[in-house]
Structure formats: structure tokens, C-alpha cells
Amino acid sequence: MSAPEYLHKEHCPLDDPSNELRILEISDINCEPIQCQLVRNEKDKKYSTLSWCWGPRDKGPGGEIRILQSNQSYAFHIPKSLASAIRMLRKYKVSRIWIDYVCMDQSNIDEKNYQVPMMATIYGESECVYVWLGDEDEDSELAMGFIRNRVLNLSDFDRLIRDETPVREWQALSALMKRPWFSRRWIVQEIAIAQSATILCGTEMIAWKDFADAISLFNEVETSTRQVSEVMKNHKDLGHRPAFFGEVSQWSATKLVEETNNLFRRLAENQRQAQFSLEYLVSKLTTFVSSEPRDTIYSLLAIARDTVPVTSRLGGDVVQSWTWPEYIKEKFIKQFAKRNVSNPYHVDYELPLSDVYVQFVRWAIEKSDKTRALDIICRPWAPVPKPSVDLGDDGEERDAHRRIKTDTSRPLGEGEDTLPSWIPTIAQAAFGMDGTGQRMTRKNADSLVGLPPQGVYSAAGTRVLTDNFRIESGTTRSSDDPKLNGLHYHSMYVEGFILDKVKVLKVPSQQGSIPHDWIQMAGRVDPSGYLPSEFWRTLVADRSPAGENAPRHYPRLVHHALKQGVPGDALDTKEIVNWGNCRIVGEVLRRVQSAIWNRRMMRTENIRSLGLVPQYAQQGDLICILYGCSVPVILRKFTKSKQEVEEEDQRRQEKQKQIEESTKQILALKLTQLWRDRVARRKMQHSAEAKSPSRKRKRQLVDTIPSRKKQTRASKAQQGTAGTQSGSSSAPGTTEKKALKSDPYTYYQLIGECYVDGMMNGGALSRLEPSILFEIR
């Protein structure tokens, strides 16, 4: 007879999910299914936590544990990989542990909204974080022993990295570092805030600090010298493959080790201070993924210096007891959170995906340096949503105007959810796994804007994001393009100007090669002559890898590399990097690859500048400078139908009316509460005066003295009346700035960032082009 199913809300409910958690107590009885109990945690009672991930075996039927409650055994179904982890924890006598899949009611969105903001506390207060990498295989035991006995043996380390014998050991270590757990996004927080951590892989165990030190050593020697890759390249059984490991510094395991070491600054008394903004973390940690795309942001809130995660929803039972309109409830909840938490960031798993992403972009823009606040719209960070129909060339399902469709639903009447063009996905990220899933390699050029708060360029000079910036949303219903009808959109309004148009476009750079027609467009005729300055500067985007001015030796090295190519053919930069006889030429070509990979060379229409644009750019696209963005961008212009414009105007009027009505109701509620508070204070005063007559005489005396605040208030009221009568609507001595309006019949799609030679450091401002308010969707 099968056991009944375990239900959290019936067998172990939480009275306050924002302040309570359940703990799994594992029985030491060696039986199957594993016997456990799920209990509310008692304060000051020690527990551990488990960090794990779904594995390849979890696609089929899962495992099962038995949870004992009031002498009754209940079945709780779990993935096979988690069952293996609990079995190993039992072997190592770990009895009290918090496991997200078991201890949190995954079917209760309200509870999840409360518990996710607690993750930092849950993991930070646990005695130890146990990391489950999965079951052992033929390489895992070899890799663990290699770390303990060879890599951490520093007296023998120099000989080890030159030794051609331990080839299989290096391969085993590489395989271990590519286990699925290392790509989970939540692990960054779990490891960063852990008091201590231990790695389990099958029956093998190793302290996190030992594992991390070994990975850091491997990354240091491979990134700086590629010594281990050279050893592997010389091995004939491996096919003499250059760059055998690919970009080790970009592996998730490497980033986890290095970034968790840098996330906090240690202070006195074991305190620590977060170092990086949420924008930096989301932009930097793109190699880490999550099954829930909203966790791209939510998983990093607790370790960012400028955010504190809070839930923006109350429990369903509490909300249902309110009789106020829904939009008033939401406003009160958020206002309450702001009063009680510094820098609150609201967690809500019921929001449509595009709304969550737009919320993050708005946050990043508000928190950033206003001269580069819009850099976030150029930097790829968002996961590619799961496709539902056909895919574009870049692995994304797009509508006709480059908006990416998501697989999340919106409220009734709001249309199909889409991401705007100003939310770049990691399909455009610089690095990714190759087709074998074994090597991390370059797949795109680096983002021109760099990571915040780095300032690589200043195309808009000192022009900052203006007060005209805003974000609106709606649903397209009457477009002349039927593919757009029924799609929800987000419009960003930003100020800037049109610098030029794309006039000539050349083929994209494949695998970082320099196409022959690029060289022809540069005007280089004499093979022995000097390179045109605009050409070599464009090839390296006029910067070094560190974002500094291009070194003076760059043109000589680029010229030397071009002479090694076959006349009339593209220059294969990878060939020279991997097999060339001059290391420093290889390094400058790595910089070229990072600037041109999958980009196209172009020449502008009017100023005739050379530049680099995204591979999807088209002839006639606009090159624009946006105030508050450090690089030029490519925009594509589209026209709305007359009915579209009328519908959007009507929607704005309705929204404004709703806002005004909401403001009135909130004000009325506040006044009512103030009146109730005043009546309550009066009652208390009368009660006190009844007991003390002298107190009553003192209050009567005070009431006869005019209040200075009342006099000031009356004086201001008279001034306000006089100002109204004279027709003045602004403070004396100031002039009201007229808001810039966008063309209601035009909107733009962001194609991406671009490099325009000579226009990256404020040079475009000298052209004195008129400002435009762009609506970008």
C-alpha cells in the first residue's frame, strides 16, 4: 500500500513565512526509502544547508523519501540526484539540514516570495553548506585525488604544469569543473555568504577552500602562460589541438571561485561589506543560469551592495481581507516596504517576465552614473527565453521588429509577453560553450560599454540622462504589420540626436578573421605601406584590453600580421594566435578578435567615418548618440498607423485618470487615519485631564498663544493664493523647461551598440545636431 502524499500546508505550515523556516531531520536508520522529519526550526538550534542541482538522471522517474508526522509516514517525491545527496548526507551523519526543494513549499507562490529574500540569512547562518556535485564517475575520484596530492603540492607545482604525464588527470579536473552544479546561478550567493563549505561528489569529500585554491592556481597559470594547454597540444592522442581548454577564465567554476573571493571586503569583527552593484553582478555573471529566469536578478539581490530583497506581496489570506482596490493595495505594500527597508528590491514571481526585466533595467538606470546610465541597454545580460515557435539566426524567437517573445503569460487583455529590443540577451554574450559542451570559447565581440562603473568611452561627452526619460507599456492592436498585433510592448523614451546613417556595410567577421573586403574598404593598396590610422584603430576599437588608449605599437603589429595573410583572402587571426612565431603579435590579434568577432565594418553616409556595427545592422540604419550612453547605438526607424497613435493616446489618458483617482483615494485614506489618530490623542488627553485638573488649565493657556507653525502655514497659503491670482505657475526666479516631445507616429528598434572612429569621446557633440526624444521598443 502506497503512503499518502506529504503536504506542507497541512503537516508543517508556517505562521510567518518571512521569519520562519522548516528543517529536514534525516534519520540515521539505514533503510530505504530514507526516513526523515520536517520540523519548524528553533532559534539558536544549529543546522546545515545543501546546495545541489538537477542532474541528467532527473529527467525520468524520481526518487522518494518518507516524512514522519504524528506517527504517520508520508511520501515526498524528489529528483534522483537529490535522493543520492540525502543518502550521502546520512552516511556522513549530517542530521539537520535545509534543502530548498523539500523545506520550501514550491507550490505556494506567496511563501516563495517571502522565503527567497531570506536566502542570504538561511545560508549565512547555517553551520556548513554542503555542495553536492552528483554521483561519482570514472573521472571524479581521479580529479579529487589530483587536487589533493598534486595541484596543492606547491613544492612540485612548477614541474607539474610542464609534465606531459598527467594528461588524464588534467582532463578529469576539467570534467569535474564542468559539472552542472557550477553553472547554477544561486550558488554564487550560497558560496559567497557561507561560513564554511564542503564539496561532496559520490563518496569523495573535499573542503571548499582546498578546491577553490586548486582552481585558482589552474586559472592563474593557464590564463597567464597557457602552459598546461601547450602540454596538451603536444599530445598526439589529443589531436595536437591548440588552446585545448579554451578560455578557462570564463568557465563557471573559475568565475565562481574568483568572484566569490572578491564580492565582499572583510571588516573588523568578522563583518563584511558588499563591493558590487546589482547591475555589475547581473552583467558579469552571465555564465551562470537558472531554471527560473526571474532568478537571473533575484538570486543576486542579497550580495549586491545597493539592494535588499523584499517581497512586494502580502499573503493571499491577508490581501483578500482588504476591501480596497487592488492598485491601492499594491501601492501601500511597496510604500510600507520602503519605509522599513533601505534600498528595497521587490521580489515577485507572479510578475510577467518582461516586467521583471524592465524593473531591473529601470533600477540600474536610476542607480547609475547619469553619464552612462543607459549602458545597460547595450550590455547582454538576459537569458534567452524558451522558444515556442521558430528561432531566429541568433537562437531567439523574435517578432518582425526584433522584440523577443517569452513563454510567460500576461494578465487577460495585455497581449503576448515580449522583451523589448533594449534588453540584450546572452545570445550576444562574448563567450559560450562550443558544440561539444567541453570548451568555453569566444562567440561574439566584447561589449563596448564594458562593466559598470568602468568608463571606456564617452560618446555623449558630459551629457547626462535627461528628465525626459521614462518607460511606458501597452499592447499593439492596430499596426499595419499584422505580426505585431496582439503583442505587449515596453517603450523607453530617451533623448539624443542622429549622428549619421550606415552607408556601406561589409560582411561580418567570422571567427574573428579580418575579411578581405574590409582591407579593401580601408584603402590599403600598397602592401608595404603604413596602415590608415582609422583602419587599425577600428580593428581594435581604439582601446587596449584594459580599456585604455591603444598602445603606440599596435599599428606596427597589425601591419605585421596582415603581411602574413594570403593576398586576396581573409586573414585567419586564430591561425596566427595559435601557431604564430611572435607572441606579442598574437596578443594584439586577441584584442582584434575581441573587437570585431561577428561584427561588420561600415562607413557612414555623411561624415564618412569607418566603424563597427552589429551583424544584424542594415544599410540606412541610424547611428545615434543617446544622452547618458557612453557609446553610439544603431537604431532602426518604424512608423505607426494613425489608429495605433489614437489608441496609445487614449491609453495614456486612461492611465493618467487612474493615477489621479488612486492619488485621491490614498490621500483620503491618509486623512481618515490622521483624523482617527487625532481623535485617539484627544481621548487620551481628556482622560489624563480628568485625573489631573492642573494639566487642563495648562492646555487652555497654551491654546490662547498663536502657534508659529499655524502662522507660517497661513502666510504660505496667502502667498500661494496671490501667485495663483497673478497666473504664475513656477517659483520666482526660475524658468520652466519645456518637455521634449517624441514624434507620435515614429518608434525605433535598438539594433545594438557600435564603434564610430573619431566619435567615441564626445566628438559627435561638435556637430550641433538637434535633440530628439526617441521612443525605443
Side-chain angles (χ1 to χ4, degrees):
M1 182 176 176
S2 60
E5 294 288 326
Y6 184 88
L7 299 174
H8 292 84
K9 61 182 179 181
E10 291 184 12
H11 303 120
C12 190
L14 297 179
D15 296 331
D16 181 7
S18 67
N19 196 38
E20 291 180 295
L21 62 148
R22 305 178 185 92
I23 296 295
L24 187 69
E25 295 184 344
I26 306 172
S27 171
D28 59 359
I29 300 174
N30 190 14
C31 65
E32 294 292 335
I34 302 170
Q35 303 293 310
C36 306
Q37 277 190 303
L38 202 56
V39 299
R40 292 186 196 176
N41 190 45
E42 300 174 18
K43 280 194 176 291
D44 301 326
K45 198 166 184 180
K46 293 182 179 180
Y47 66 91
S48 297
T49 49
L50 178 69
S51 180
W52 68 289
C53 77
W54 292 69
R57 298 192 306 137
D58 297 326
K59 295 179 180 178
E64 180 183 300
I65 59 173
R66 292 296 174 88
I67 299 181
L68 303 177
Q69 188 77 31
S70 302
N71 297 322
Q72 172 70 48
S73 178
Y74 295 90
F76 193 94
H77 298 283
I78 59 176
K80 284 184 178 179
S81 56
L82 180 55
S84 296
I86 295 175
R87 200 170 288 114
M88 201 54 56
L89 290 169
R90 181 178 64 182
K91 175 184 176 181
Y92 284 109
K93 307 299 182 184
V94 179
S95 59
R96 285 175 48 82
I97 195 156
W98 185 90
I99 305 173
D100 56 356
Y101 192 89
V102 179
C103 299
M104 196 161 58
D105 187 352
Q106 300 294 324
S107 64
N108 187 334
I109 297 296
D110 277 342
E111 180 176 313
K112 194 174 180 181
N113 283 338
Y114 277 116
Q115 296 266 285
V116 167
M118 294 172 57
M119 289 295 188
T121 303
I122 293 171
Y123 279 89
E125 293 183 353
S126 70
E127 194 173 25
C128 179
V129 175
Y130 287 94
V131 173
W132 176 248
L133 296 185
D135 295 315
E136 62 189 358
D137 59 24
E138 58 182 10
D139 287 333
S140 59
E141 184 177 354
L142 180 64
M144 291 286 212
F146 184 55
I147 289 172
R148 281 190 293 260
N149 303 323
R150 297 296 306 275
V151 180
L152 295 179
N153 182 7
L154 299 183
S155 60
D156 193 46
F157 188 74
D158 284 350
R159 191 178 69 83
L160 171 65
I161 61 176
R162 294 191 300 269
D163 189 355
E164 297 189 4
T165 305
V167 169
R168 187 161 173 264
E169 285 85 345
W170 286 117
Q171 288 179 293
L173 177 59
S174 171
L176 186 69
M177 292 172 66
K178 291 168 188 167
R179 288 225 173 189
W181 179 83
F182 289 104
S183 63
R184 274 189 67 235
R185 201 165 184 87
W186 277 102
I187 65 173
V188 180
Q189 174 181 283
E190 294 165 3
I191 293 298
I193 62 181
Q195 296 183 38
S196 68
T198 298
I199 289 181
L200 301 173
C201 185
T203 57
E204 291 288 323
M205 175 187 286
I206 189 170
W208 168 259
K209 62 182 180 63
D210 291 339
F211 177 85
D213 286 350
I215 301 310
S216 186
L217 286 167
F218 176 39
N219 177 49
E220 176 66 25
V221 70
E222 182 62 12
T223 302
S224 59
T225 68
R226 299 187 182 269
Q227 182 69 50
V228 184
S229 281
E230 287 298 314
V231 170
M232 307 299 273
K233 185 171 73 172
N234 295 333
H235 206 283
K236 65 178 182 179
D237 292 343
L238 301 178
H240 299 291
R241 186 169 60 178
F244 181 84
F245 296 108
E247 300 292 337
V248 173
S249 63
Q250 300 299 319
W251 291 2
S252 296
T254 310
K255 282 200 169 186
L256 177 66
V257 167
E258 304 299 352
E259 292 302 323
T260 52
N261 184 59
N262 298 324
L263 284 175
F264 298 99
R265 180 165 293 166
R266 302 293 171 179
L267 304 177
E269 298 179 358
N270 206 28
Q271 297 296 307
R272 54 190 176 185
Q273 183 181 63
Q275 293 297 292
F276 302 113
S277 67
L278 180 63
E279 181 187 5
Y280 173 90
L281 294 174
V282 171
S283 303
K284 174 77 171 177
L285 304 176
T286 54
T287 57
F288 298 95
V289 298
S290 59
S291 56
E292 166 54 74
R294 296 166 184 83
D295 287 338
T296 301
I297 299 146
Y298 294 163
S299 64
L300 302 173
L301 295 177
I303 55 176
R305 70 158 186 255
D306 55 352
T307 58
V308 176
V310 297
T311 180
S312 60
R313 291 180 176 269
L314 297 179
D317 53 341
V318 177
V319 172
Q320 291 303 321
S321 68
W322 293 4
T323 58
W324 301 346
E326 187 64 29
Y327 57 90
I328 295 181
K329 297 177 193 175
E330 291 292 334
K331 199 160 186 176
F332 260 91
I333 294 166
K334 291 181 179 180
Q335 289 297 322
F336 178 79
K338 287 180 180 178
R339 287 198 303 269
N340 289 276
V341 179
S342 175
N343 289 327
Y345 195 102
H346 299 285
V347 174
D348 188 349
Y349 283 94
E350 290 187 341
L351 280 178
L353 183 61
S354 69
D355 290 4
V356 174
Y357 287 179
V358 169
Q359 176 193 20
F360 164 69
V361 171
R362 192 193 299 270
W363 173 278
I365 290 173
E366 289 175 353
K367 297 289 182 180
S368 297
D369 174 1
K370 292 301 177 278
T371 61
R372 47 184 34 88
L374 292 177
D375 284 2
I376 185 65
I377 70 174
C378 299
R379 194 183 297 118
W381 62 268
V384 179
K386 296 176 182 177
S388 57
V389 194
D390 296 326
L391 295 180
D393 294 337
D394 54 359
E396 298 167 349
E397 185 194 350
R398 295 180 180 270
D399 64 30
H401 293 178
R402 290 187 61 81
R403 289 204 301 274
I404 306 169
K405 297 180 181 179
T406 75
D407 63 345
T408 58
S409 60
R410 298 197 64 85
L412 187 64
E414 290 192 6
E416 186 176 358
D417 196 47
T418 66
L419 300 184
S421 62
W422 40 268
I423 294 184
T425 71
I426 57 175
Q428 282 83 50
F431 294 93
M433 280 292 181
D434 65 7
T436 67
Q438 297 301 310
R439 299 169 71 241
M440 181 70 74
T441 61
R442 181 174 289 281
K443 61 176 185 175
N444 288 298
D446 290 346
S447 174
L448 294 169
V449 297
L451 288 170
Q454 182 182 14
V456 182
Y457 303 101
S458 54
T462 57
R463 296 285 184 93
V464 299
L465 185 72
T466 68
D467 293 339
N468 289 310
F469 167 79
R470 69 181 189 275
I471 296 176
E472 295 181 354
S473 62
T475 305
T476 303
R477 304 201 182 279
S478 303
S479 173
D480 291 336
D481 185 347
K483 293 181 180 179
L484 293 177
N485 292 328
L487 297 181
H488 189 271
Y489 66 83
H490 295 274
S491 288
M492 176 183 288
Y493 292 82
V494 292
E495 193 174 340
F497 62 87
I498 298 172
L499 173 64
D500 210 332
K501 288 184 179 180
V502 176
K503 175 68 174 178
V504 181
L505 267 179
K506 296 302 181 181
V507 297
S509 166
Q510 300 293 328
Q511 299 287 305
S513 64
I514 303 176
H516 178 64
D517 64 353
W518 287 28
I519 302 172
Q520 287 181 317
M521 188 166 73
R524 176 177 171 262
V525 179
D526 182 3
S528 64
Y530 287 102
L531 290 173
S533 174
E534 64 171 358
F535 181 60
W536 73 262
R537 289 187 185 281
T538 299
L539 288 180
V540 297
D542 200 23
R543 291 292 185 271
S544 71
E548 300 168 344
N549 288 339
R552 65 172 295 114
H553 59 265
Y554 267 20
R556 182 177 295 274
L557 298 182
V558 172
H559 184 206
H560 177 81
L562 287 171
K563 288 196 297 183
Q564 297 182 50
V566 178
D569 200 0
L571 180 70
D572 187 350
T573 58
K574 292 178 71 175
E575 179 77 11
I576 300 174
V577 167
N578 293 327
W579 301 100
N581 57 9
C582 182
R583 183 189 60 81
I584 195 168
V585 171
E587 291 305 314
V588 77
L589 288 183
R590 288 183 191 277
R591 172 56 194 161
V592 170
Q593 291 175 346
S594 71
I596 71 172
W597 200 292
N598 276 346
R599 287 192 173 123
R600 307 177 75 173
M601 184 168 279
M602 64 94 186
R603 192 173 289 281
T604 65
E605 182 175 273
N606 298 320
I607 58 179
R608 305 293 297 165
S609 289
L610 212 59
L612 298 170
V613 295
Q615 60 178 322
Y616 300 109
Q618 297 176 3
Q619 190 174 12
D621 282 343
L622 302 175
I623 302 168
C624 302
I625 301 293
L626 304 181
Y627 303 149
C629 187
S630 66
V631 299
V633 297
I634 299 292
L635 297 181
R636 189 170 297 159
K637 184 177 179 180
F638 293 95
T639 303
K640 305 176 194 174
S641 68
K642 182 179 179 181
Q643 193 171 349
E644 267 188 282
V645 175
E646 291 173 351
E647 287 178 352
E648 289 176 14
D649 286 342
Q650 183 180 357
R651 178 186 53 78
R652 287 192 189 95
Q653 292 172 11
E654 290 174 353
K655 188 170 184 179
Q656 183 62 34
K657 186 176 179 181
Q658 187 184 56
I659 291 172
E660 291 172 357
E661 185 63 27
S662 170
T663 303
K664 288 178 183 178
Q665 294 193 43
I666 290 174
L667 180 60
L669 289 168
K670 287 183 176 179
L671 290 173
T672 301
Q673 188 60 46
L674 287 171
W675 176 254
R676 288 174 178 169
D677 292 344
R678 186 173 182 179
V679 169
R681 285 196 299 270
R682 289 278 182 162
K683 286 182 178 179
M684 291 177 64
Q685 284 179 348
H686 288 311
S687 175
E689 288 167 2
K691 297 178 182 179
S692 175
S694 61
R695 192 177 230 176
K696 181 177 181 180
R697 288 194 299 271
K698 184 177 180 180
R699 183 178 64 81
Q700 290 172 342
L701 180 62
V702 169
D703 288 345
T704 62
I705 302 174
S707 168
R708 180 176 298 177
K709 286 185 178 180
K710 289 181 180 179
Q711 288 178 336
T712 304
R713 207 176 294 129
S715 175
K716 286 183 178 179
Q718 289 175 358
Q719 292 175 5
T721 304
T724 304
Q725 290 171 350
S726 65
S728 173
S729 59
S730 59
T734 63
T735 57
E736 185 176 351
K737 182 181 177 182
K738 188 176 181 180
L740 191 65
K741 292 186 177 180
S742 62
D743 178 0
Y745 287 90
T746 302
Y747 72 92
Y748 302 83
Q749 293 288 318
L750 176 66
I751 307 303
E753 60 185 354
C754 68
Y755 172 86
V756 183
D757 190 56
M759 297 292 157
M760 303 302 289
N761 300 300
L765 298 177
S766 63
R767 297 182 58 80
L768 301 176
E769 300 289 347
S771 292
I772 297 174
L773 187 61
F774 297 99
E775 179 190 356
I776 308 176
R777 291 187 179 177

